[in-house]
Amino acid sequence: MPEVRLPPGSTIGILGGGQLGRMLSVAASRLGLKTHIYSDEPNAPAFDVAAETTVAAYDDEAALARFAGSVGVVTCEFENVPAKALEIAGRKAPVFPPAKSFATAQDRLVEKDFIAGLGIALAPYAAVGSLGDLNEGLARVKIPALLKTRRFGYDGKGQVMIHTLCEAGSAWEAIGETPSVLEGVVRFEREVSVIAVRGQDGETRFYDVVENVHEGGILATSRAPARIAASTVFEARQIAGKIAEALQHVGVLCVEMFQREGDEPRLLVNEIAPRVHNSGHWTIDACPVSQFENHVRAICGWPLGEVGRHSDAVMTNLIGADVEAWETLAAEPNTAVHLYGKAEPRPGRKMGHVTRLFPES
Amino acid sequence: MPEVRLPPGSTIGILGGGQLGRMLSVAASRLGLKTHIYSDEPNAPAFDVAAETTVAAYDDEAALARFAGSVGVVTCEFENVPAKALEIAGRKAPVFPPAKSFATAQDRLVEKDFIAGLGIALAPYAAVGSLGDLNEGLARVKIPALLKTRRFGYDGKGQVMIHTLCEAGSAWEAIGETPSVLEGVVRFEREVSVIAVRGQDGETRFYDVVENVHEGGILATSRAPARIAASTVFEARQIAGKIAEALQHVGVLCVEMFQREGDEPRLLVNEIAPRVHNSGHWTIDACPVSQFENHVRAICGWPLGEVGRHSDAVMTNLIGADVEAWETLAAEPNTAVHLYGKAEPRPGRKMGHVTRLFPES
């Protein structure tokens, strides 16, 4: 029996009010569930489709306690939610995914050590706490390498590429001399990701492995399915399942990997996200049950839903001014347009996405 | 150019807060649009996913004016909205579908005369204003026949079956001696319906014709596509297009028909609904763009979206206590469960639906 079992009519609390919260809320409504969205931003995109809303800081203990006291379960739409916020919420309601998933994903070094500890391959990496560490690390992981802050990096932020050894000093400065991880840049054929969903009873399902293209550190497109061998799909899912199991994760987990041809091992884990993920947006349109709905099902103790795809799909993000083409995109055949209701199309801001379906192939 | 063109970020006003309003609101959110839901019921199902809500009677002129003044366009999720409410709203914002669509669909006699006037076949019918009319009508349309109130009937309510001529008096009493229409009961192979969407520029698109089964006057299942000849599909769409055009309709229009084998004409129109319709719910899961989103697109002056289906589908309504099986239904493969967030599963109440997808066939 699941620890939490919320029947239709119950309310889910979501920390975070961005597009992921918005799509989670829509998925919850389909199951007859309500949402209470907590965000530190007024006019958060998710507020448009929420039954209840709270605007407060993520360190406002009284607001967090009130919020968690009003819902049957608490979840998060972003991984950098403060541990303290989860702890306070956890006193009033169950929180899924569990704290360990967030603690692991919030710190690149903890994450890499955790994954390596499971016997799963990663690109070479080194902990960096000083310029001395960085120089030592460069000797070991080789150039080119990426220096990334341990915490709070996303969409290409908080990282510096190092091409030559003499760039070590400036890179260390550029990163703010903050605790970091140095990652060796490996050659790969493609980036792939696995969207897994794990229920409270441990049942785990996997969507098709997708193939991702990043531009400027931001996801540009995801193609489902990835053009990889069946054995690689099998291996990718095994890796994601092992991580989900070791975290005792509940909900959706995304594992991003580099896929190599020729070299062994074929798959190196890049990073994990303990939440619904941009590379799973295609599931809204190409699967009977989306990643958002399966996350809701898992945290509410419902049976997991179908993860098979009825159509091949290519998801393309609309970044910044891309969204101005909404009318042209809306006129395309076999295309689903998703806009997030954000007012200003700032550069680098995810404004929406389109999913092009290919039911015939 | 469309008369109304609402870009992302705009707000749509919806009169009515039931499940259709709820699914319209979710579809609007996908396009970056907000909704303001107006309902005379507190806790209306659509309120869970609305950016703004108004609880007021449909004859509250001040509330209607305030509501319409806060939105870019007004639409309705039920056809029996009072003409006066549409008129008041229309002073503050464009209203789609147009008043003529509602006026026609609200009165069974006006509706039948209108359709007959277009040269479209119907089952034999007669206007009934007195017991004398009823007896005359029975002589003409033959028994068995259905006596239906001209206004406010739905889901099998407001109608009496007449099997023998001597039942005329009791039927006239049962119907409340209210202005009615007598309809001859014709033999047919199946009931079908066409979901059409017509844009402000007159462009009209049609989803696949579906086959409906009613139980106790309430829709039980819709199957897409209907098992009918391509020529019948063509004819059904032509009929729906002709009606939409004659009404200068904007938005989704559903035309229900009886399909006969052998007899000519093959299709007899039963009734029309100037709105998104229960027999189009399968489009959420089996088409890239659902009837709800295409309705929103039409009233907002967006390009119409894809109406092709990627999967065959069977939609089954969850009426009353059917919804108690939610957990079993949620565990079915290739199935999408939709629950409407209604508190009490009263007999005859539409609580949700499931769509079973058949992507292979």
Side-chain angles (χ1 to χ4, degrees):
Chain A
M1 281 293 291
E3 184 186 334
V4 176
R5 182 178 168 280
L6 294 182
S10 308
T11 301
I12 300 168
I14 302 176
L15 287 163
Q19 66 269 20
L20 301 180
R22 183 178 169 105
M23 291 185 275
L24 280 169
S25 192
V26 162
S29 83
R30 186 157 127 147
L31 300 178
L33 297 160
K34 299 185 221 291
T35 58
H36 183 160
I37 309 277
Y38 188 111
S39 171
D40 61 356
E41 273 185 73
N43 306 317
F47 286 178
D48 294 349
V49 286
E52 289 174 75
T53 61
T54 294
V55 181
Y58 293 111
D59 61 1
D60 181 336
E61 303 197 4
L64 284 164
R66 264 198 311 277
F67 160 74
S70 77
V71 302
V73 68
V74 169
T75 193
C76 304
E77 60 122 45
F78 66 119
E79 65 259 42
N80 285 322
V81 60
K84 181 79 183 167
L86 295 175
E87 192 198 313
I88 292 163
R91 287 182 212 143
K92 300 281 184 179
V95 178
F96 291 124
K100 186 176 183 182
S101 293
F102 292 102
T104 306
Q106 283 175 1
D107 184 314
R108 290 185 196 279
L109 183 60
V110 172
E111 178 181 292
K112 287 179 191 296
D113 285 347
F114 173 76
I115 292 164
L118 297 175
I120 294 168
L122 296 147
Y125 69 98
V128 173
S130 66
L131 182 55
D133 288 347
L134 178 54
N135 281 315
E136 268 175 54
L138 283 167
R140 194 146 48 80
V141 313
K142 312 289 186 225
I143 50 163
L146 269 166
L147 184 64
K148 296 180 174 178
T149 56
R150 283 175 57 170
R151 302 179 70 90
F152 300 118
Y154 72 98
D155 283 353
K157 286 168 191 152
Q159 53 182 268
V160 182
M161 179 68 90
I162 302 179
H163 295 93
T164 66
L165 294 177
C166 61
E167 287 167 22
S170 59
W172 181 235
E173 220 168 85
I175 209 89
E177 305 191 352
T178 192
S180 296
V181 174
L182 184 70
E183 291 177 17
V185 174
V186 293
R187 279 167 47 124
F188 55 83
E189 294 302 313
R190 53 178 68 80
E191 292 181 79
V192 299
S193 60
V194 179
I195 305 288
V197 57
R198 186 170 182 276
Q200 293 172 42
D201 58 0
E203 184 190 352
T204 306
R205 296 187 177 190
F206 305 92
Y207 287 95
D208 283 295
V209 178
V210 299
E211 194 172 323
N212 301 316
V213 175
H214 287 80
E215 284 168 14
I218 304 177
L219 183 66
T221 65
S222 295
R223 164 193 286 263
R227 290 160 295 185
I228 57 178
S231 60
T232 311
V233 169
F234 181 81
E235 195 187 326
R237 288 173 164 178
Q238 267 201 321
I239 290 168
K242 204 166 178 179
I243 294 170
E245 171 73 20
L247 292 170
Q248 289 289 295
H249 189 79
V250 172
V252 164
L253 175 80
C254 174
V255 182
E256 293 186 88
M257 307 174 192
F258 302 122
Q259 185 251 327
R260 308 190 293 181
E261 304 281 358
D263 294 308
E264 286 293 336
R266 277 171 299 191
L267 293 168
L268 303 174
V269 169
N270 178 26
E271 62 179 33
I272 66 174
R275 55 166 170 80
V276 288
H277 191 262
N278 196 167
S279 69
H281 289 1
W282 64 277
T283 62
I284 298 175
D285 299 299
C287 303
V289 175
S290 73
Q291 67 164 346
F292 299 97
E293 184 176 326
N294 260 323
H295 183 78
V296 170
R297 285 169 174 243
I299 66 171
C300 292
W302 288 46
L304 300 182
E306 178 67 58
V307 290
R309 75 177 196 287
H310 51 67
S311 305
D312 289 0
V314 176
M315 187 289 308
T316 303
N317 271 332
L318 303 177
I319 312 283
D322 292 352
V323 74
E324 287 162 16
W326 63 271
E327 209 158 7
T328 309
L329 294 165
E332 279 189 30
N334 267 313
T335 298
V337 176
H338 298 257
L339 305 178
Y340 305 151
K342 296 179 185 177
E344 298 157 68
R346 292 198 293 268
R349 194 174 201 203
K350 290 176 179 170
M351 300 299 294
H353 71 269
V354 293
T355 302
R356 296 184 173 89
L357 292 180
F358 304 94
E360 301 301 310
S361 51
Chain B
M1 280 295 290
E3 183 186 334
V4 175
R5 182 179 168 281
L6 295 182
S10 308
T11 301
I12 299 169
I14 302 176
L15 287 164
Q19 66 267 20
L20 301 180
R22 183 177 170 105
M23 292 185 272
L24 280 169
S25 192
V26 163
S29 82
R30 187 156 126 147
L31 300 177
L33 297 160
K34 297 186 221 291
T35 56
H36 183 161
I37 309 278
Y38 188 111
S39 171
D40 60 357
E41 272 186 74
N43 306 316
F47 286 178
D48 294 348
V49 287
E52 289 175 76
T53 61
T54 294
V55 181
Y58 293 110
D59 61 1
D60 181 336
E61 303 196 7
L64 284 164
R66 264 198 311 279
F67 160 75
S70 76
V71 301
V73 67
V74 169
T75 192
C76 303
E77 59 122 45
F78 65 118
E79 66 258 41
N80 285 322
V81 60
K84 182 78 182 167
L86 295 174
E87 192 199 314
I88 292 163
R91 288 182 212 143
K92 300 281 183 178
V95 177
F96 290 125
K100 185 175 183 182
S101 293
F102 292 102
T104 305
Q106 284 176 1
D107 185 315
R108 290 185 196 281
L109 182 61
V110 173
E111 179 181 291
K112 286 179 192 297
D113 286 347
F114 173 76
I115 293 164
L118 296 175
I120 295 168
L122 297 147
Y125 70 95
V128 173
S130 66
L131 182 56
D133 288 347
L134 177 54
N135 281 317
E136 268 176 53
L138 283 167
R140 194 145 47 80
V141 313
K142 312 289 185 221
I143 50 162
L146 270 166
L147 184 64
K148 295 179 174 179
T149 56
R150 282 174 61 171
R151 302 179 71 89
F152 300 117
Y154 71 98
D155 283 353
K157 286 165 192 152
Q159 52 182 268
V160 182
M161 178 69 90
I162 301 179
H163 296 94
T164 66
L165 294 177
C166 59
E167 285 166 21
S170 58
W172 179 236
E173 219 167 89
I175 210 88
E177 304 191 354
T178 193
S180 298
V181 175
L182 185 69
E183 290 177 18
V185 174
V186 294
R187 278 164 52 119
F188 55 83
E189 295 301 313
R190 53 178 68 81
E191 292 179 80
V192 298
S193 61
V194 179
I195 305 288
V197 57
R198 185 168 183 278
Q200 294 171 41
D201 58 2
E203 184 191 352
T204 306
R205 296 188 177 187
F206 305 92
Y207 287 96
D208 283 296
V209 178
V210 299
E211 194 172 322
N212 301 319
V213 175
H214 287 81
E215 285 168 13
I218 305 177
L219 183 66
T221 65
S222 295
R223 164 192 286 263
R227 290 159 296 185
I228 55 177
S231 60
T232 311
V233 170
F234 181 81
E235 195 186 325
R237 287 174 164 175
Q238 267 200 323
I239 290 169
K242 202 165 180 180
I243 293 171
E245 172 73 20
L247 292 169
Q248 289 290 293
H249 190 80
V250 173
V252 164
L253 175 81
C254 174
V255 182
E256 294 187 87
M257 308 175 193
F258 301 123
Q259 184 251 329
R260 307 191 292 183
E261 305 281 0
D263 296 306
E264 285 293 336
R266 275 172 299 190
L267 293 167
L268 302 175
V269 169
N270 178 25
E271 61 179 33
I272 66 174
R275 54 166 170 82
V276 288
H277 191 262
N278 196 166
S279 69
H281 289 1
W282 65 277
T283 62
I284 299 175
D285 299 299
C287 303
V289 175
S290 72
Q291 67 164 345
F292 299 97
E293 183 176 327
N294 261 323
H295 182 78
V296 169
R297 286 170 174 242
I299 65 171
C300 292
W302 288 46
L304 299 183
E306 178 67 57
V307 289
R309 76 177 195 286
H310 51 65
S311 306
D312 289 0
V314 176
M315 187 288 307
T316 303
N317 270 334
L318 302 176
I319 311 284
D322 293 353
V323 74
E324 287 163 16
W326 62 271
E327 209 157 9
T328 309
L329 295 165
E332 279 189 30
N334 268 313
T335 298
V337 176
H338 298 257
L339 304 179
Y340 304 151
K342 297 180 185 176
E344 298 159 66
R346 292 197 293 268
R349 195 175 200 202
K350 290 177 178 169
M351 299 300 294
H353 71 270
V354 294
T355 302
R356 296 186 173 88
L357 293 180
F358 303 94
E360 303 299 310
S361 51

